[in-house]
Amino acid sequence: MTNPPMDEALPEGVAEEMFGRMAVTRAIERLMAKHTREERFSGWWHPGEGQEAAGIGATAALQRDDYLWYQGRGCSWAIGKGMAPGPILGDLLGKTTGATGGKGGGVPHWADYSIGVMGEGATLGSVFPLAGGSALASKIRKDGRVSLADFGDGTSARGTFHETLVHAAAWKLPLIYFCENNGLLVGTRLEAVNPTVNIADYAAGYHIPGITVDGQDAAAVYAATRYAVDRARAGKGPTLIEAKVVRRLGHYAGDPQHYRRPDEFDDYRDPLDVLAARLSGNTAARLIEEADAEVSAAYAEALAAPSPDASILDRNLYHG
């Protein structure tokens, strides 16, 4: 495991931008929790409350056209990369205003190729070869783009993790592996099935940097990702980042969470509070108010939007 010295001082305006996007993400999280309780919801919502700093901090270090292959919970990755709440909620509610025209559903598969949001792999572990492929394409084209593969701690056990990384390391592809380690594989403790609780330890076998970072601190995540991005663009190959995060809610909406320990959240640090400490005056309160208003308006628009007809099933299946 490598922990290179990294300056956590943020460029001007980055803290405020990250907090604004975290506030939008949290507003969507709270709204979807309420929606699943009170309305008929045919999807399967995976709450991401408590993990917002990971996706927002990482995407803040990426360029607009860098490739993002996410496989995490919640919507921080899409919001962080620049997607608006409207297309996200449209997909969650199965409406034509969604990013995929309503195909996305409760397990989010929204995408926006114009900003590098490539969508979520339908199978756990599929992000690795997909991100490896786009990183290889970037190296061949010499376009300077970086590919980031987001995944959970349990997904690191998939064969595709290792099969992709061995080639990416050998070929020095511009690839970042980003693990959100919340210590839970649905309801199984990571330490019960894994020889190490630090996913970053795997990096040593591929002779690449492995960085463990406080995933509740967006500034720390930003610094780690900035380091990995700079390495990738300089042709030095992949980096494995492990963000230690806290999954505040269940694996899915309605999860009884019998696996929780009584003291699970005794030392919990809310990522919004951590980042708010870097802001001045009433900036945090203002951004939260603006985020709540933006998400409420997007929700109302999504509810009023039409549902797609059956023809959407055959749309965008093939290209060329």
Side-chain angles (χ1 to χ4, degrees):
M1 183 169 60
T2 304
N3 281 308
M6 289 180 290
D7 183 8
E8 292 183 15
L10 295 170
E12 184 177 356
V14 171
E16 184 170 333
E17 180 181 352
M18 289 197 301
F19 189 91
R21 291 182 173 183
M22 286 173 67
V24 169
T25 302
R26 178 63 60 85
I28 294 175
E29 292 285 346
R30 296 284 171 86
L31 185 149
M32 286 305 301
K34 182 175 184 292
H35 183 84
T36 53
R37 286 194 308 269
E38 299 178 359
E39 306 288 340
R40 181 182 181 276
F41 183 55
S42 57
W44 193 23
W45 175 243
H46 288 178
E49 182 171 332
Q51 296 187 202
E52 294 95 342
I56 298 299
T59 51
L62 298 176
Q63 290 182 357
R64 178 181 174 86
D65 63 349
D66 285 336
Y67 294 111
L68 171 64
W69 301 91
Y70 67 90
Q71 198 147 45
R73 58 186 56 257
C75 53
S76 62
W77 290 94
I79 291 292
K81 200 65 166 66
M83 286 190 69
I88 290 173
L89 289 168
D91 269 344
L92 287 171
L93 302 187
K95 299 302 184 77
T96 56
T97 54
T100 63
K103 284 185 174 182
V107 182
H109 293 281
W110 46 69
D112 186 340
Y113 300 155
S114 70
I115 54 174
V117 179
M118 307 306 292
E120 180 177 15
T123 304
L124 288 176
S126 60
V127 293
F128 302 124
L130 289 170
S134 61
L136 177 59
S138 290
K139 181 165 184 173
I140 292 171
R141 292 195 300 250
K142 297 181 173 60
D143 61 14
R145 298 167 80 174
V146 171
S147 294
L148 186 148
D150 163 57
F151 59 99
D153 42 303
T155 309
S156 67
R158 300 303 296 262
T160 49
F161 173 102
H162 303 278
E163 292 161 0
T164 300
L165 193 52
V166 68
H167 294 296
W171 298 338
K172 297 191 182 304
L173 299 185
L175 175 64
I176 299 170
Y177 268 26
F178 191 102
C179 176
E180 295 182 78
N181 185 354
N182 60 30
L184 289 168
L185 292 66
V186 185
T188 301
R189 298 279 167 183
L190 178 64
E191 62 265 25
V193 296
N194 216 55
T196 176
V197 295
N198 296 315
I199 304 303
D201 290 349
Y202 292 148
Y206 300 96
H207 299 276
I208 65 171
I211 304 169
T212 296
V213 67
D214 178 5
Q216 302 304 103
D217 184 348
V221 174
Y222 173 88
T225 311
R226 181 77 265 165
Y227 168 84
V229 166
D230 290 345
R231 284 191 77 255
R233 292 205 209 283
K236 296 181 179 179
T239 301
L240 169 57
I241 299 173
E242 172 189 20
K244 298 282 192 177
V245 297
V246 178
R247 197 184 81 200
R248 193 75 175 94
L249 302 176
H251 178 71
Y252 55 89
D255 180 359
Q257 303 184 73
H258 297 310
Y259 47 83
R260 291 291 192 187
R261 297 169 178 147
D263 61 348
E264 191 100 6
F265 302 112
D266 284 357
D267 57 354
Y268 174 71
R269 296 153 51 245
D270 190 295
L272 269 74
D273 292 340
V274 174
L275 187 56
R278 291 178 174 265
L279 303 179
S280 59
N282 67 342
T283 302
R286 173 178 59 82
L287 290 172
I288 289 173
E289 184 178 352
E290 292 174 357
D292 288 343
E294 181 183 5
V295 171
S296 293
Y299 179 61
E301 181 180 344
L303 286 175
S307 299
D309 59 46
S311 66
I312 194 176
L313 295 175
D314 298 326
R315 199 175 304 158
N316 305 124
L317 294 180
Y318 303 100
H319 178 70

